[in-house]
Amino acid sequence: MAPADNDPAPPRPRERRQRVQSAVTGMAVLKGLARLGGRASLTALATHIGESPAKVHRYLVSLIEEELVAQEPGSPQYQLGVEALHIGLAAMRQADPIRVAEPALIRLRERLEVTCFIAVMGNKGPTIMRIEEPGLPVTVNVRAGSVLSLLWSATGRVFLGMLDDSRVRALAERELGNAPADLRALLDRKDPIGALRREVQAAGCAAVRDTNLKGISAVSAPVHDYTGRLCAVVTALGATGGFDPAIDGPIGSAVRQEARAVSTQLGHADGRL
């Protein structure tokens, strides 16, 4: 059917390609500005995205008209505009670590054939929010809603090491006071909690073997939100005999990689600049 006289003719293939390319370049300018901290000069921005200053300037003019970019009078600096802020706020409202981590947990389960879960810090301690188990799951008494140890679980140690929170410290001290002697003997005598925190901070993750549960090993990695704050922990666990909890081993590397991917989806900039 021929288009009506008052309907615009569909763009030709070459016109469509040009429009798509323009959109790609425009997005490159916006992303480049964001990755430079949200503010940059024309020269710095053009260098960052590998385009000529003249070309970038043309796109900036259009983006300013749409309020996606702004420039203060007399300033050589361009910055993200109010419409870009609205887009960012809308994205942040959708940034639920539990929802975002679901595909990562499924990938870990299928790739490694291990039990994996994501936990957040609850009022009583690290709490499992979602768990994925392989076809032949390891018999472990953990499920969604389970509260884990801060001192003896890999998950808890990541929270303890990376959250500078007096409430978390108080929970850990209470747990230490109630721990049996054989478990306390596994920690540093002079500064058990401080030593654990420093160990996790140095490694950037945590692993345990036969501490929280006999016969079970685990490795955990942090998930950070757009502010850089720890908001969740991704963990893989399995029977000690067939599970390598080494931080740099295949399982540890996969867990850390997926945790970083979730962090990136939540807006955490580390590793993307």
Side-chain angles (χ1 to χ4, degrees), residues 164-229:
D164 189 14
D165 188 321
S166 60
R167 180 175 59 92
V168 174
R169 179 87 181 212
L171 286 172
E173 289 174 349
R174 186 183 313 156
E175 188 178 323
L176 181 64
N178 295 329
D182 60 331
L183 283 180
R184 289 201 303 270
L186 298 175
L187 302 179
D188 182 87
R189 290 186 178 182
K190 294 182 179 180
D191 186 14
I193 294 177
L196 265 183
R197 281 174 53 82
R198 290 189 292 273
E199 179 183 330
V200 171
Q201 290 166 4
C205 52
V208 298
R209 182 188 293 269
D210 300 331
T211 55
N212 190 48
L213 295 168
K214 293 299 182 183
I216 299 297
S217 293
V219 60
S220 300
V223 173
H224 300 278
D225 64 17
Y226 69 97
T227 69
R229 187 177 186 273

Side-chain angles (χ1 to χ4, degrees), residues 147-163:
V147 178
L148 304 174
S149 163
L150 276 167
L151 298 177
W152 317 115
S153 73
T155 305
R157 289 184 176 185
V158 173
F159 281 113
L160 179 63
M162 297 190 175
L163 280 180

Side-chain angles (χ1 to χ4, degrees), residues 125-143:
T127 305
I128 297 175
M129 300 303 294
R130 184 177 179 87
I131 188 167
E132 291 288 339
E133 295 182 301
L136 297 174
V138 176
T139 304
V140 183
N141 190 28
V142 293
R143 58 185 60 86

